[in-house]
């Protein structure tokens, strides 16, 4: 066998070795591709199920949001009904009190006429009638409140000045000293000296009284906080709220701030 034939055989053996190793690597890659394709198909099926479940959850969420909105509407309606019922109750109580004011003197007059002219007993009171719903102290609070409002307030009377500075009973109105020269005028009485206002300098009388400016308090109207609509339940929430308090969804700004570029 010549050297050329040996080199040819060696080259073929090396090629067969490379082909075998690359064939094994190709089989491994093929199996890996098949396995990944199967995984992708399985994940696709799971993904479709996940999306369907997400849609159901979103529908349930919106139904709960609608229920919550309906509950808020029912609460507002019930508060309105309660307010109207309270106003009707107060109106009925006031009307009953006013009618009772007319009823009491008329009943007193009728009872007096029955007793004086016919010798009959008085008519029963409202709370004494059979099957009545009026209690004995039903109108007592109303008359007590009116009596307290109609009580006159005490007046304050200032005592006379002579009570603070009484004159001695035995002292004369005017008295001259024993060694007074002729033509000497007696001093004014004590009461006149007390009541006489002190004399002020001329320059003080000419001064105009100073005016004191009274400032009126200023009330500033408080502005409502900035609000925005939730992207999930469309309810009004605070602009800086990170999470909606109704649907618990994360609140995202429609105009997010762009990050500043750092200068290198």
């Amino acid at each position: 066998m010549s050297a050329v034939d040996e080199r040819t055989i060696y080259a073929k053996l090396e090629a067969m070795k490379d082909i075998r190793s690359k064939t094994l690597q190709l089989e491994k890659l093929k199996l890996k591709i098949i396995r990944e394709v199967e995984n992708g198909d399985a994940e696709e099926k799971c993904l479709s199920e996940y999306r369907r479940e997400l849609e159901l959850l979103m529908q349930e969420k919106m139904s709960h949001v609608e229920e919550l909105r309906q509950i808020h509407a029912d609460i507002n309606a019930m508060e309105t009904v309660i307010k109207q019922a309270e106003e009707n109750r107060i109106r009925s109580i006031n009307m009953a009190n006013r009618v009772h004011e007319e009823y009491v003197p008329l009943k007193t007059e009728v009872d007096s006429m029955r007793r004086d002219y016919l010798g009959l007993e008085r008519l029963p009171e409202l709370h004494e009638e059979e099957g009545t719903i009026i209690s004995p102290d039903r109108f007592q609070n109303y008359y007590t409140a009116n009596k307290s409002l109609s009580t006159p307030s005490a007046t304050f009377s200032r005592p006379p000045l002579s009570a603070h500075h009484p004159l001695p009973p035995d002292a004369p109105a005017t008295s001259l000293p024993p060694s007074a020269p002729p033509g000497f005028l007696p001093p004014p009485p004590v009461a006149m000296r007390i009541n006489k206002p002190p004399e002020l300098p001329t320059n003080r009388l000419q001064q105009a009284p100073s005016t004191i400016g009274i400032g009126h308090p200023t009330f500033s109207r408080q502005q409502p906080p900035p609000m925005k609509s939730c992207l999930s339940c469309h309810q009004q929430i605070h602009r800086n709220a990170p999470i909606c308090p109704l649907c618990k969804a994360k609140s995202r700004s429609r105009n997010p701030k762009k990050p500043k570029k750092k200068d290198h």
Side-chain angles (χ1 to χ4, degrees):
M1 182 180 293
S2 62
V4 177
D5 295 336
E6 290 180 357
R7 285 197 295 270
T8 304
I9 293 172
Y10 286 147
K12 289 181 179 180
L13 291 175
E14 290 292 336
M16 290 176 62
K17 182 180 178 181
D18 293 339
I19 291 172
R20 183 176 179 276
S21 62
K22 290 183 179 181
T23 302
L24 293 176
Q25 186 178 1
L26 184 64
E27 289 293 332
K28 291 180 180 179
L29 293 177
K30 183 174 68 174
L31 293 176
K32 188 174 182 179
I33 290 173
I34 294 173
R35 185 170 61 251
E36 293 298 332
V37 170
E38 291 177 353
N39 292 337
D41 294 340
E43 291 295 334
E44 181 67 25
K45 294 179 181 179
C46 295
L47 186 60
S48 61
E49 294 180 1
Y50 296 156
R51 288 173 178 170
R52 191 180 306 110
E53 186 67 22
L54 179 61
E55 291 179 0
L56 295 177
L57 291 176
M58 291 297 295
Q59 293 177 2
E60 185 177 0
K61 170 192 169 183
M62 295 307 297
S63 64
H64 285 301
V65 170
E66 185 63 27
E67 291 177 0
L68 186 61
R69 188 181 304 167
Q70 188 65 33
I71 289 173
H72 283 294
D74 294 342
I75 290 174
N76 295 333
M78 187 56 62
E79 289 178 352
T80 304
V81 171
I82 291 174
K83 184 178 180 181
Q84 292 178 355
E86 185 69 20
E87 292 177 355
N88 294 335
R89 184 184 71 87
I90 295 175
R91 189 183 303 110
S92 300
I93 291 175
N94 294 335
M95 181 62 67
N97 292 331
R98 287 195 295 268
V99 175
H100 189 265
E101 289 181 356
E102 300 177 2
Y103 172 82
V104 169
L106 183 59
K107 182 181 180 302
T108 303
E109 184 180 358
V110 171
D111 290 342
S112 178
M113 294 176 65
R114 285 167 58 90
R115 182 180 62 253
D116 296 341
Y117 296 106
L118 302 178
L120 300 177
E121 296 182 356
R122 65 176 181 84
L123 295 174
E125 299 292 341
L126 293 176
H127 62 275
E128 296 175 352
E129 295 183 357
E130 184 178 358
T132 183
I133 60 174
I134 300 176
S135 58
D137 56 347
R138 178 64 180 82
F139 300 96
Q140 185 176 1
N141 296 331
Y142 174 74
Y143 288 110
T144 304
N146 287 346
K147 185 177 180 181
S148 62
L149 292 176
S150 61
T151 303
S153 58
T155 57
F156 175 76
S157 59
R158 185 175 181 180
L161 185 61
S162 59
H164 297 280
H165 303 280
L167 293 176
D170 299 336
T174 58
S175 60
L176 293 175
S179 61
F184 179 78
L185 297 177
V190 179
M192 293 179 62
R193 283 184 288 174
I194 292 176
N195 295 334
K196 184 178 180 181
E199 295 181 358
L200 298 176
T202 308
N203 55 355
R204 292 185 61 184
L205 291 176
Q206 293 177 355
Q207 293 178 357
S210 60
T211 58
I212 301 176
I214 301 176
H216 297 280
T218 58
F219 300 95
S220 60
R221 182 177 298 177
Q222 185 177 4
Q223 296 182 356
M227 306 296 286
K228 67 178 179 180
S229 298
C230 178
L231 300 179
S232 298
C233 62
H234 305 288
Q235 293 291 332
Q236 293 293 324
I237 61 175
H238 196 275
R239 186 177 62 183
N240 298 330
I243 298 177
C244 178
L246 298 178
C247 63
K248 305 301 181 182
K250 291 185 178 181
S251 177
R252 297 179 181 177
S253 177
R254 295 183 178 179
N255 300 318
K257 294 183 179 180
K258 296 181 179 180
K260 296 182 179 180
K261 295 182 179 180
K262 296 182 179 180
D263 297 333
H264 296 287

